[in-house]
Amino acid sequence: MTAQQSDPQHLGWMNGFPPPVDKIIRFTDPDYFSFPKLRWTVCHFRELMPTVNVSRGIGAPAMPEQKFDPAIDALTFMPLGSSQAMTWAQSLEANYTDGIIVLHKGTVIYEHYSGCLNILGQHGAMSVTKSITGLLSEILVAEGILDETATVSTIVPELSDSAFGDATIRQVMDMTTALKYSEDYADPNADVWIYSAAGSPLPKPSTYQGPKTYYEYLQTVRKEGEHGVAFGYKTINSDALGWIIARVTGKSVVTLLSEKIWQKMGAEQDAYYTVDSIGTPFAGGGFNAGLRDMARIGQLLLNDGVINGQRLIPEAAIASIRAGGNKEAFAKAGYNLLNGWSYRGMWWVSHNENGAYMARGVHGQALYIDPKAEMVIARFASHPQAGNTANDPTSLPAYEALAQYLLKGAPQ
C-alpha cells in the first residue's frame, strides 16, 4: 500500500464512538505495530500503554521565526542507486512521512504534516531516543559527573556478572560492547523479542519464567568477543546507559531530560516515555514528542548548546559528538549506505564536508543536523519496513541536496 492508501484517516483506524470492531487497535493485538496499523500507532502510544511524562514546565514556549520557502518541494536530487531524479515532495510520499520540519539559521522554512500527525500531536521517536540518552550521558561526562573510563560494574554492581560488567562507560555510549544479543526483528527467535517481553508492562502469563523488567533482562546478557573492537548496534546498550545515568544522578532519564533541557529550551509540548511494569522508562526507544520540539533539540545542538540566549549543554559535550567515533570499529558493522560514518555518544556521524550528524530510528525517524548549512531537519515517519536501509536512499541525498540549496543562497 502507498502512503496515501495506508493513511490511517483513510483506513479509519479508531474512528467512531466506539470504533467499528474491525477498526480497533489494542496493545494486546499481535499486529498493533505492524503495517498498516503502525501508521496510527506511532502517534498514539500513550493511549495503548503506560507512560511517564517529560514536563516542559510552566513557562511560555519560545516560538521561532517562520519564513516558509515554497521552492523546497520542487527541489530535485538523485536517490542512492537510482538513475531517476526525485523531488523533495515525492520523497515525503515515498518515505511515508508523517511530519517533517526544516530550520535554517533558526528560522522555520518548511513544515509538513500527514498521516496520523498534526501540529498538536506527538509521535514515537523510536531509536532517536537512544541519541537523547546519549546526549544526557555526554552532558554528564562534560560536567565531570560521569567518568567515561570507569567500568559499568563500579557504577551499577548489579551488572557485574553480565556482559556489561567489564565494559567502560564510553564503550557503552559508543556501542562498542561485545554482547551476545541479536536485534534481527525478522527473526522471531531473536533476543530482541525476549527483551521486549521483559519490558512489556502487561501482566506475564503464569507459565512465564523469564525476566520481568528491563533491569532484570540486562543482568542476563552474556559477553561475546572483546569490548572496544567493533561497533554493534544493540538497543540494550541504551537501556544500560539509562540505568547508569539514573545511578550517578539519582534521577531517571525522564527527570533529567525535563530538568536540563525540556523545561529550559522553550518546548511547546510535554514529551513522554513508555515504561515497563515497574515504571522504568524505555531509554532505547520509548521517547515521544512533538515535531517542533524535536527540531528545537536539533537547533540546541546546532547552536553548540545555547538556545534562547541560555546555555543548556556544555560545549564540550557537543564537540565530543561532532568529532565522531572510531571509523574502523563502525565499518565492521557493514552499513553499506553509511560508508565513512561513525558512531559517538549514540549519534550517527557522517564525516561529510558539512560535518553533518544525526539521530535515527526505525520506520524513518530522523533528526539531521548540518552545521555548515546551519540546517536542522526533524522527521517522523511510519515506513512499512523497520530498517533505515529502506528509506536512506531517498532521505540522505534529499537532506544533502537541501543543504547545498541553502548554502548556495536560498531566498531569505
Side-chain angles (χ1 to χ4, degrees), residues 26-46:
R26 295 183 175 91
F27 182 46
T28 50
D29 295 341
D31 61 346
Y32 87 101
F33 197 56
S34 297
F35 184 82
K37 285 185 177 180
L38 76 86
R39 300 213 64 207
W40 179 89
T41 301
V42 288
C43 292
H44 298 275
F45 283 113
R46 175 154 271 177

Side-chain angles (χ1 to χ4, degrees), residues 353-396:
E353 61 182 10
N354 290 5
Y357 58 103
M358 69 183 299
R360 296 156 57 85
V362 291
H363 301 288
Q365 322 320 314
L367 180 57
Y368 187 91
I369 301 158
D370 187 314
K372 186 176 180 180
E374 299 179 88
M375 178 187 78
V376 171
I377 301 173
R379 183 186 70 183
F380 287 136
S382 48
H383 196 285
Q385 298 180 47
N388 279 294
T389 53
N391 59 68
D392 277 347
T394 51
S395 295
L396 298 180

Side-chain angles (χ1 to χ4, degrees), residues 77-83 336-338 391-397 400:
F77 65 93
M78 196 68 69
L80 299 176
S82 173
S83 59
N336 296 328
L337 297 179
L338 303 179
N391 59 68
D392 277 347
T394 51
S395 295
L396 298 180
E400 293 176 354

Side-chain angles (χ1 to χ4, degrees), residues 133-406:
T133 304
L135 176 60
L136 292 174
S137 70
E138 291 284 6
I139 291 172
L140 296 175
V141 169
E143 291 177 341
I145 297 171
L146 181 61
D147 179 5
E148 66 180 2
T149 67
T151 57
V152 172
S153 61
T154 62
I155 296 173
V156 185
E158 296 93 326
L159 290 174
S160 295
D161 295 331
S162 76
F164 294 104
D166 62 344
T168 66
I169 302 304
R170 173 53 65 184
Q171 287 166 344
V172 174
M173 290 168 66
D174 293 353
M175 293 204 190
T176 57
T177 48
L179 312 177
K180 187 177 182 181
Y181 178 87
S182 168
E183 198 154 321
D184 181 0
Y185 290 92
D187 179 5
N189 297 314
D191 299 293
V192 65
W193 299 118
I194 303 173
Y195 186 52
S196 179
S200 172
L202 295 176
K204 304 294 189 285
S206 58
T207 56
Y208 182 80
Q209 298 295 320
K212 297 178 181 179
T213 66
Y214 291 129
Y215 291 149
E216 287 184 14
Y217 181 86
L218 292 171
Q219 296 174 67
T220 72
V221 179
R222 295 294 166 251
K223 192 174 180 180
E224 187 173 64
E226 294 300 319
H227 298 313
V229 175
F231 169 70
Y233 185 74
K234 294 175 169 58
T235 296
I236 52 177
N237 281 294
S238 301
D239 285 295
L241 187 58
W243 195 351
I244 292 164
I245 289 170
R247 190 56 62 83
V248 298
T249 65
K251 300 174 181 179
S252 73
V253 292
V254 173
T255 302
L256 204 64
L257 177 60
S258 174
E259 291 180 355
K260 285 191 171 291
I261 296 176
W262 224 253
Q263 294 184 41
K264 298 178 179 179
M265 73 171 186
E268 291 183 36
Q269 302 183 57
D270 289 347
Y272 68 89
Y273 281 78
T274 58
V275 298
D276 68 7
S277 61
I278 62 169
T280 310
F282 182 18
F287 186 62
N288 294 253
L291 182 65
R292 288 183 172 184
D293 289 333
M294 289 304 302
R296 284 179 170 87
I297 288 282
Q299 190 64 41
L300 176 60
L301 291 167
L302 182 66
N303 292 350
D304 290 330
V306 176
I307 196 165
N308 307 320
Q310 183 179 11
R311 174 164 295 284
L312 305 186
I313 300 173
E315 192 172 359
I318 298 170
S320 175
I321 294 170
R322 288 183 58 176
N326 186 319
K327 290 184 180 181
E328 292 182 3
F330 184 86
K332 293 176 182 178
Y335 287 89
N336 296 328
L337 297 179
L338 303 179
N339 288 326
W341 287 53
S342 72
Y343 195 79
R344 176 77 170 179
M346 301 199 172
W347 288 79
W348 304 76
V349 184
S350 75
H351 297 285
N352 68 7
E353 61 182 10
N354 290 5
Y357 58 103
M358 69 183 299
R360 296 156 57 85
V362 291
H363 301 288
Q365 322 320 314
L367 180 57
Y368 187 91
I369 301 158
D370 187 314
K372 186 176 180 180
E374 299 179 88
M375 178 187 78
V376 171
I377 301 173
R379 183 186 70 183
F380 287 136
S382 48
H383 196 285
Q385 298 180 47
N388 279 294
T389 53
N391 59 68
D392 277 347
T394 51
S395 295
L396 298 180
Y399 301 161
E400 293 176 354
L402 181 53
Q404 291 305 112
Y405 168 75
L406 296 175

